[in-house]
Amino acid sequence: MKENWTPQSWQNKKALHQPIYEDSVKLKKVCNKMKRLPPLVFAGEVRELKCELSKCVDGKGFLLQAGDCAESFAEFHPNYIRDTFRVIMQMAVILSFASGVPVIKLGRLAGQFAKPRSSPFEKKGEIELPSYLGDMINSIDFNKSARIPDPERMISAYNQAASTQNLLRAFAYGGY
């Protein structure tokens, strides 16, 4: 029997590669703050994407998914975002010409701030520290304090994602 999804149902599942936050009170405060933030993607956008994807299923469209598999906060810059958008648009033009059907563009931007690792620890010489799990969780700097998971980084990731999406919407709908 298929289990019904709820916003809390994930809590009953075993999750691997999860950070261990030392300050559970701080984590709870950040999670509560995030619950009050606006969504990054709106229902109308999801409905529109589903409609566009259905064209791909019927052979009346081609799906192009592009973007980085991992991102850092340091790469957050309007020029970088613009250049990535430009490359995706250029690929879409070529694919549309070659395939003769519209290209549905799906960008992977401002959402790849955490990555699972094969080991919870990283060793350099004689020093062993928790693994770098992505800027949303801890810092790439190889020292003890930088590798402590910090829930405030989730707010930074949200803000960076929201800013990036707003810029991409402006490019897409502003005639870029």
Side-chain angles (χ1 to χ4, degrees):
M1 183 168 125
K2 191 173 181 179
E3 182 182 329
N4 288 331
W5 182 89
T6 68
Q8 292 77 29
S9 62
W10 65 270
Q11 294 172 335
N12 299 324
K13 307 287 183 192
K14 182 176 181 178
L16 303 174
H17 301 281
Q18 297 299 304
I20 299 169
Y21 293 100
E22 294 176 359
D23 188 342
S24 61
V25 173
K26 185 177 180 182
L27 175 62
K28 187 173 183 165
K29 283 182 183 178
V30 167
C31 288
N32 287 334
K33 181 177 182 177
M34 291 191 71
K35 286 178 186 178
R36 295 186 305 269
L37 295 172
L40 293 170
V41 179
F42 301 100
E45 292 173 314
V46 173
R47 285 190 296 271
E48 185 178 334
L49 178 60
K50 286 172 74 174
C51 181
E52 293 295 313
L53 290 174
S54 71
K55 295 176 186 174
C56 297
V57 173
D58 296 334
K60 296 176 183 161
F62 187 90
L63 174 63
L64 168 63
Q65 181 177 338
D68 296 328
C69 77
E71 297 172 293
S72 72
F73 293 163
E75 295 163 345
F76 180 62
H77 189 276
N79 292 342
Y80 177 82
I81 297 163
R82 181 205 59 222
D83 292 347
T84 302
F85 182 78
R86 181 183 295 151
V87 168
I88 293 170
M89 297 303 285
Q90 289 170 338
M91 288 189 297
V93 167
I94 293 166
L95 288 168
S96 182
F97 179 77
S99 66
V101 296
V103 174
I104 291 76
K105 298 159 285 295
L106 190 62
R108 290 179 51 181
L109 288 107
Q112 300 292 320
F113 298 121
K115 298 298 275 183
R117 298 293 183 229
S118 57
S119 171
F121 296 99
E122 181 180 346
K123 191 170 185 175
K124 287 185 181 180
E126 297 298 314
I127 301 171
E128 184 176 82
L129 294 173
S131 290
Y132 167 63
L133 301 174
D135 284 0
M136 186 167 78
I137 297 172
N138 58 7
S139 174
I140 197 167
D141 297 336
F142 195 76
N143 64 64
K144 188 175 180 176
S145 64
R147 294 299 176 93
I148 296 171
D150 180 2
E152 288 288 336
R153 289 174 160 269
M154 290 190 285
I155 300 293
S156 297
Y158 171 89
N159 289 330
Q160 188 164 327
S163 296
T164 298
Q165 286 194 252
N166 286 336
L167 184 58
L168 289 169
R169 286 181 184 109
F171 286 151
Y173 300 111
Y176 180 78

